[in-house]
Amino acid sequence: MPWSEAVSGVVRLAKSSMVVQCMLAFIYAGDIRFHEAFADLEAVSPTHGLRRRKKEAARAIADAAHEYLLPEMAMQAETQVWCHSPVDIDNLAVMVGRARKMEIPSLEERCLDFISEHFVELMGDRALWQKLPFHYREVAFDRMSPEKQRSVEVAVKLGSMRRNLHSVLESISRRRSFDRRELAKPASPDASISSFVGRMPNLGASFFVRAPETIFDD
């Protein structure tokens, strides 16, 4: 029955105990205390799927905060959702933007580590680099080991050599096409009739000069 809690004195929520504890901690202390909320998750499995389970738990806390109109609690929970979201090539720009907008240093550090680890793969993606802060290249490069830095330098040199070769081949192709244009072209089908007739032998003149003599011979 509606408002049965007023009679029984018991409030029943369709939420997990972890979510309820986080809500009470925020209401009475102003802090969700995620380290306590995630302790049970870490005890079950310290490594396997831990980041995914923390993200799911933070999402459940955020949903409860939205349901009970607790915007500050929702913001704290949303921050944890992004902190435990995986970073990959497809969502890298989005994750960097979210980390900077929400001021989440740990997420930004993860993004920089990802760029440093996959620098060679990302190097040629101009569209991606246009979305990232300019100083990210230097920061990510400085985080690499000396061996990896040398690999990147070699890749850059090879890319420069390929671009130079491509420009040389294009230049040769342009010169060849220019030489072909200089060759004499055959008469085109849409040439004017005057130019076409001008190339024919003058047969009509000799014919019409002799015609009067034949007509008035008698």
Side-chain angles (χ1 to χ4, degrees), residues 80-94:
Q80 291 297 316
V81 171
W82 287 102
C83 283
H84 295 94
S85 297
V87 179
D88 55 38
I89 294 177
D90 295 330
N91 70 359
L92 176 60
V94 175

Side-chain angles (χ1 to χ4, degrees), residues 113-152:
D113 289 340
F114 182 87
I115 295 172
S116 177
E117 184 178 354
H118 300 85
F119 197 90
V120 176
E121 302 172 48
L122 304 173
M123 194 164 50
D125 193 342
R126 294 185 179 181
L128 174 63
W129 288 109
Q130 290 175 354
K131 300 175 184 177
L132 300 179
F134 184 78
H135 69 280
Y136 269 36
R137 297 190 184 193
E138 294 183 6
V139 175
F141 186 80
D142 291 341
R143 295 189 178 197
M144 298 179 190
S145 64
E147 295 78 9
K148 197 163 187 177
Q149 288 180 350
R150 284 193 291 270
S151 299
V152 171

Side-chain angles (χ1 to χ4, degrees), residues 13-118:
L13 302 176
K15 309 291 180 186
S16 67
S17 59
M18 180 200 66
V19 172
V20 174
Q21 290 173 4
C22 289
M23 290 179 60
L24 293 176
F26 178 82
I27 292 172
Y28 288 102
D31 185 14
I32 298 179
R33 299 177 182 174
F34 284 101
H35 62 282
E36 297 179 5
F38 292 157
D40 293 339
L41 299 177
E42 295 172 355
V44 172
S45 178
T47 56
H48 181 68
L50 181 60
R51 187 180 298 278
R52 176 184 56 79
R53 286 183 282 113
K54 285 184 176 181
K55 178 184 176 182
E56 292 173 352
R59 171 54 61 194
I61 297 170
D63 291 343
H66 287 298
E67 181 179 349
Y68 290 96
L69 304 179
L70 300 171
E72 294 183 6
M73 176 181 171
M75 185 177 298
Q76 291 185 22
E78 291 286 352
T79 299
Q80 291 297 316
V81 171
W82 287 102
C83 283
H84 295 94
S85 297
V87 179
D88 55 38
I89 294 177
D90 295 330
N91 70 359
L92 176 60
V94 175
M95 298 295 283
V96 169
R98 184 61 61 176
R100 293 170 65 83
K101 182 177 181 180
M102 299 181 66
E103 299 181 355
I104 310 176
S106 60
L107 178 57
E108 189 170 12
E109 288 296 311
R110 286 177 50 216
C111 292
L112 285 168
D113 289 340
F114 182 87
I115 295 172
S116 177
E117 184 178 354
H118 300 85

Side-chain angles (χ1 to χ4, degrees), residues 147-208:
E147 295 78 9
K148 197 163 187 177
Q149 288 180 350
R150 284 193 291 270
S151 299
V152 171
E153 291 171 353
V154 170
V156 170
K157 290 180 180 179
L158 290 176
S160 178
M161 292 173 61
R162 283 195 293 268
R163 287 192 296 271
N164 292 337
L165 177 61
H166 183 67
S167 62
V168 170
L169 294 176
E170 281 189 343
S171 177
I172 294 173
S173 176
R174 285 195 297 270
R175 286 200 297 270
R176 286 179 177 176
S177 61
F178 178 77
D179 294 337
R180 291 193 187 98
R181 289 195 296 269
E182 293 297 315
L183 297 176
K185 296 182 179 180
S188 58
D190 57 347
S192 63
I193 188 64
S194 59
S195 62
F196 177 75
V197 173
R199 290 193 297 269
M200 295 179 63
N202 191 5
L203 301 178
S206 60
F207 173 79
F208 286 110

